[in-house]
Amino acid sequence: MTLSFGTRLRSAMDERGPLCVGIDPHAALLDSWGLTDDIAGLERFTFTVVEALADTVAVFKPQSAFFERFGSRGIAVLERATADLRAAGGLVVMDAKRGDIGSTMAAYAETYLRKDSPLFSDALTVSPYLGYGSLKPAVDLARESGAGLFVLALTSNPEGAEVQRAVREDGRTIGATMLGHLAAENAGETPMGSFGAVVGATLGDLSSFDLDINGPLLAPGIGAQGATPADLRAVFGAAVGNVVPNVSRGVLRHGPDAAALRDSAHRYADEIRAAVGG
């Protein structure tokens, strides 16, 4: 029987430390590594990260767009990296932010959440802003495959507030509504559910939101975006034990030196563990 994503995530974070490293091979980062902005540079960058960190970091979040921009050859690199990371014991959260309706949403789910898909990932980021119910094909297939979802709820980009903090007729914000749906998905699951929220670590006091969804909270913003591990408890309160802090540039800027990448990832994991008290 396949263990649920929530179970595997809890185990990975306890064993390797509560850290997610983003894999974001954008042009400026390739250049800072001395690499060309082409498929050769993409491959060198990606597999340097994989070889340096796959057996020591709990979670990886490849940003699909930075691979898609190279066409089919870029997707092939993403497929290989996803398989290699998972083979080494890392969990892969595919950052594709898919969201659509009906058969199209079902096709996105098949791409990332069906076990025999070349891009099968442990979890997928999704956008619920065609209505939470539009995500049902992804929710159903994730349950069947033992995978998870991270739903955009309270994102760190300033533009997100105009949607996520808009108030419904019942007085709840849209963001709070999404958190409520996720809490319902995760009800009764142990050690935690598999349906998480994306909640920015840069947002400051979120005590007006109930973040106790019994599921993971993917928290971008640590490092280059300004948040620090020490901020996590103030932002996430009692839910801090389920936070999956994401660091991208803060780790990746140390490449292409593999030892420097490892040292940076270990340092962040240790600082986060100390900050959340686990």
Side-chain angles (χ1 to χ4, degrees), residues 55-148:
D55 62 350
T56 188
V57 169
V59 185
F60 295 88
K61 184 172 69 66
Q63 170 47 259
S64 181
F66 291 120
F67 296 84
E68 293 172 27
R69 70 193 185 101
F70 293 102
S72 61
R73 296 178 69 190
I75 297 297
V77 173
L78 182 58
E79 290 177 2
R80 283 178 53 206
T82 299
D84 289 354
L85 290 166
R86 300 190 69 246
L91 300 182
V92 173
V93 175
M94 187 63 69
D95 192 2
K97 298 183 179 70
R98 299 305 192 223
D100 216 304
I101 60 172
S103 60
T104 308
M105 190 66 235
Y108 283 137
E110 291 279 328
T111 301
Y112 302 103
L113 302 172
R114 180 170 48 80
K115 281 190 172 181
D116 60 353
S117 169
L119 283 169
F120 176 72
S121 304
D122 297 282
L124 171 68
T125 61
V126 291
S127 174
Y129 296 110
L130 288 173
Y132 183 83
S134 67
L135 300 179
K136 188 176 187 302
V139 171
D140 290 347
L141 189 53
R143 287 192 188 281
E144 179 183 325
S145 301

Side-chain angles (χ1 to χ4, degrees), residues 3 5 7 33 36 47 60 92 116 130 133 145 152 173 176 190 194 252 258:
L3 295 175
F5 172 66
T7 298
W33 278 36
T36 50
F47 294 109
F60 295 88
V92 173
D116 60 353
L130 288 173
S145 301
L152 304 180
T173 64
T190 57
S194 299
L252 299 178

